[in-house]
Amino acid sequence: MKTWLNDAVVYEIYPQSFYDTNGDGIGDLQGIIAKLDYIQECGFTVIWLNPINESTFFDAGYDVTDFYKVAPRYGTNEDYRELCAEAHRRGMRVIFDLVAGHTSVEHPWFVESAKPTRNDYTNRYIWTDSTFDSPEGISGYGDRDGNYITNFFWCQPALNYGYAHPDPEKPWQLPVTHPDCLATKQELLNIIDFWMDLGTDAFRVDMASSLIKGDTDGSYTRALWHEIRAHIETRDPEVLLIAEWGSPADAIDAGFHCDFLLHSGNEAYTSLFRMEEGRNTFKRLYTGHSYFNRDGQGDIRTYLNRLQYDLQQIDGRGVVGMITGNHDIPRLAYRRTEEELKAALTFLFTMPGTPFVYYGDEIGMDYLEGIPSKEGAFTRTGSRTPMQWDEGKNHGFSESDTPYLPTDGRPEPPTVAAQAADPDSVLNFTKRLIRLHRDTAALHADGAFDVIAAGYPFVYTRAAEGKTLYVAINPSDTAYRLTPPPFKTVLLSQNTVVGDGMHMNGVSFIVAELA
Ligand code: NOJ
């Protein structure tokens, strides 16, 4: 099924760090509206906002206290409506980050749920039936006798959608058909309707596989999301579901239109850019050599085999998001030169999927080491620093004397203003890639993908509508000589000489249309 994601180029915005219009040191929705022209001029067709709901910000907004309200620091629900309308006026779409599986401990539902007396919210969350007997969950919270199950941090109690196979020994595990679990599901549908009414074009669902507990074969979770998709489709079939699942084959089976390979679950995505100890800040689980590294010791097959499996399973029913990075992992530019970064970006924009660019990656913003944690970001803080617009105060992010996070204080960090003026900048290169991607059907998610060589260099073709593009990427320092089929036009290249055969020097790439 072909959706608008097939040829989309998405821009992920971490709202608190994008652009502050009221001088309080925190980005806001009016700031995003003010920068829509910039985003459109870059060529992005869709924006995804990290959570904007009212929150305790113990986990940067993934700890919601009111699902029906924009966090006051970002503005109002009317600002969100305006943002959607302004995006739509420019032919762009908006993705809302839906935290479907948990809330903040300070959400009024949880406050009620933590009370020892029975009430409407007693079963809105999952509680064991004794604080002392059961080792599960967070214990000793409030006066309720029991422990609550979390989804992520201690402050994020899991909403109760029920258990696939409740353990008869643990009567607190309710079946998914229990009226209180059905009430949780109904509330989720209400939340979806609410944000659709304000103009939302898609939902990025946080931890989408986490809702139903103990779902060993995933069948209950699939049924749940299919039901939600059907609900959305009866209202507006253009509104799409994007999963944070980390397994596109599973997520698309569950009814999502898109999912990503991520840093968690397996090493496929990490193996591309973030395997080295220094670049692998959050998951020391996977260590070794990135494919995109000058030492040429990585293995593209770690990623490729997984991607090809996913593409085969998906079989055109959805798309894989090709992320430059996100708010959870070190930035793509971290410990990379501009040439290395351009090679990585060329790969991401020519692979069979939908590019998702994390704000600031289009100018090569760096991961900042050693920044004290803010809002539950911990080591992720260095990837969440304010957008660098220009040379001014706080790099144009905010007029405040005390921005909630510092900008890159080193001399001459990349900024939009400086890069706009330099034809060879990462920004102008990214813009060229976005144009090429948008204008070339062969590069859209559903364009044919054939691998010619899965080593250094990585060589593949993309084809659609009678046009075939040849792509060769060599992230290593080693030079290679290849004999590709005849080219009609070279569309992009770096450190590559086409003549008698093709000479790829270190850190090189070429994208060419075949004759
Ligand atoms: C995934 C989000 O991307 C991450 O930032 C968050 O901390 C967890 N889910 C918990 O909601």
Side-chain angles (χ1 to χ4, degrees):
M1 190 187 116
K2 202 152 150 169
T3 66
W4 51 259
L5 278 168
N6 188 55
D7 60 357
V9 184
V10 185
Y11 191 57
E12 177 189 346
I13 298 174
Y14 190 67
Q16 49 271 63
S17 293
F18 199 57
Y19 185 49
D20 169 24
T21 55
N22 64 358
D24 67 354
I26 302 174
D28 43 54
L29 294 188
Q30 284 300 331
I32 299 172
I33 294 172
K35 296 296 185 185
L36 277 179
D37 287 340
Y38 163 76
I39 299 165
Q40 184 184 30
E41 196 198 293
C42 286
F44 296 107
T45 59
V46 185
I47 55 173
W48 153 26
L49 313 182
N50 287 111
I52 55 165
N53 283 126
E54 187 189 82
S55 167
T56 30
F57 295 100
F58 297 149
D59 184 15
Y62 287 97
D63 47 320
V64 172
T65 51
D66 188 342
F67 284 108
Y68 297 96
K69 189 176 169 196
V70 164
R73 71 187 208 174
Y74 296 142
T76 62
N77 290 8
E78 273 315 304
D79 290 327
Y80 181 72
R81 191 199 294 277
E82 185 186 337
L83 170 58
C84 291
E86 286 295 323
H88 296 161
R89 204 166 61 74
R90 292 168 175 80
M92 296 160 72
R93 301 183 201 253
V94 180
I95 305 174
F96 181 92
D97 209 316
L98 179 66
V99 190
H102 48 268
T103 70
S104 166
V105 280
E106 291 185 19
H107 192 294
W109 302 338
F110 190 74
V111 172
E112 285 302 305
S113 196
K115 290 181 178 166
T117 43
R118 269 200 87 75
N119 60 60
D120 287 351
Y121 296 97
T122 297
N123 286 333
R124 179 55 57 94
Y125 299 84
I126 308 170
W127 290 85
T128 67
D129 52 15
S130 164
T131 305
F132 296 113
D133 287 355
S134 165
E136 282 158 281
I138 302 283
S139 61
Y141 186 91
D143 286 331
R144 178 171 174 164
D145 187 18
N147 303 333
Y148 66 89
I149 307 297
T150 60
N151 270 352
F152 203 64
F153 291 152
W154 70 273
C155 58
Q156 289 157 313
L159 283 162
N160 195 357
Y161 293 90
Y163 278 75
H165 311 286
D167 180 348
E169 304 284 306
K170 297 176 177 170
W172 50 268
Q173 296 190 354
L174 304 181
V176 296
T177 49
H178 189 283
D180 293 340
C181 300
L182 295 178
T184 309
K185 182 168 72 183
Q186 185 55 50
E187 191 76 52
L188 179 61
L189 293 174
N190 297 347
I191 293 165
I192 287 172
D193 287 351
F194 183 84
W195 295 99
M196 275 177 77
D197 288 344
L198 291 179
T200 299
D201 299 289
F203 294 91
R204 175 269 189 194
V205 181
D206 190 60
M207 298 181 70
S209 63
S210 73
L211 270 46
I212 292 171
K213 305 302 180 199
D215 190 14
T216 35
D217 68 359
S219 57
Y220 287 80
T221 309
R222 280 197 293 280
L224 172 69
W225 284 114
H226 275 289
E227 190 184 330
I228 293 169
R229 172 159 163 180
H231 170 86
I232 293 173
E233 276 176 356
T234 55
R235 299 199 61 216
D236 186 349
E238 287 277 290
V239 172
L240 305 183
L241 280 172
I242 300 167
E244 189 216 24
W245 195 304
S247 179
D250 292 312
I252 276 112
D253 246 5
F256 284 87
H257 300 90
C258 174
D259 184 30
F260 317 95
L261 285 167
L262 294 172
H263 59 291
S264 49
N266 62 68
E267 63 184 2
Y269 178 66
T270 302
S271 78
L272 289 173
F273 311 115
R274 297 175 180 86
M275 282 298 258
E276 292 75 23
E277 186 70 23
R279 289 192 182 127
N280 191 1
T281 325
F282 312 124
K283 283 261 169 191
R284 293 207 169 78
L285 204 58
Y286 313 124
T287 52
H289 300 267
S290 302
Y291 178 73
F292 281 84
N293 200 37
R294 296 185 95 104
D295 65 6
Q297 293 191 56
D299 189 345
I300 190 67
R301 290 169 303 181
T302 311
Y303 174 75
L304 190 60
N305 291 345
R306 175 66 209 222
L307 177 72
Q308 283 180 317
Y309 163 81
D310 280 294
L311 291 172
Q312 203 176 26
Q313 298 292 312
I314 292 170
D315 196 23
R317 290 172 299 149
V319 300
V320 178
M322 296 287 157
I323 59 168
T324 62
N326 64 28
H327 56 290
D328 290 331
I329 49 179
R331 285 199 180 260
L332 190 63
Y334 186 43
R335 302 191 177 172
R336 287 204 162 85
T337 63
E338 275 194 22
E339 282 194 338
E340 292 168 17
L341 184 59
K342 287 176 181 173
L345 289 167
T346 301
F347 163 83
L348 288 163
F349 273 89
T350 55
M351 286 294 280
T354 303
F356 278 67
V357 175
Y358 183 50
Y359 83 96
D361 281 354
E362 78 277 22
I363 56 169
M365 267 174 65
D366 205 355
Y367 171 76
L368 301 186
E369 292 173 8
I371 303 202
S373 179
K374 201 79 186 175
E375 302 188 342
F378 304 103
T379 47
R380 303 175 294 184
T381 316
S383 294
R384 299 177 175 189
T385 54
M387 180 68 180
Q388 294 153 201
W389 295 104
D390 56 39
E391 311 308 309
K393 185 173 181 180
N394 300 313
H395 289 106
F397 159 65
S398 169
E399 284 301 315
S400 166
D401 291 335
T402 51
Y404 94 105
L405 265 183
T407 45
D408 190 341
R410 297 171 300 182
E412 294 185 30
T415 64
V416 171
Q419 294 208 358
D422 171 4
D424 292 327
S425 65
V426 176
L427 177 61
N428 282 315
F429 182 75
T430 307
K431 283 185 185 177
R432 248 175 282 150
L433 274 175
I434 296 175
R435 284 285 150 213
L436 182 66
H437 184 91
R438 285 181 59 181
D439 295 347
T440 316
L443 294 179
H444 297 168
D446 67 346
F449 172 58
D450 284 298
V451 176
I452 297 173
Y456 288 98
F458 178 36
V459 188
Y460 49 100
T461 56
R462 302 294 318 279
E465 296 177 357
K467 205 188 240 194
T468 303
L469 297 197
Y470 172 96
V471 185
I473 314 238
N474 173 30
S476 81
D477 264 335
T478 310
Y480 294 92
R481 185 172 185 283
L482 281 79
T483 39
F487 295 155
K488 187 172 161 200
T489 334
V490 173
L491 300 163
L492 276 180
S493 77
Q494 176 175 284
N495 298 333
T496 301
V497 183
V498 182
D500 169 25
M502 186 171 85
H503 297 265
M504 298 193 82
N505 293 311
V507 193
S508 55
F509 56 81
I510 186 162
V511 182
E513 186 181 338
L514 290 183

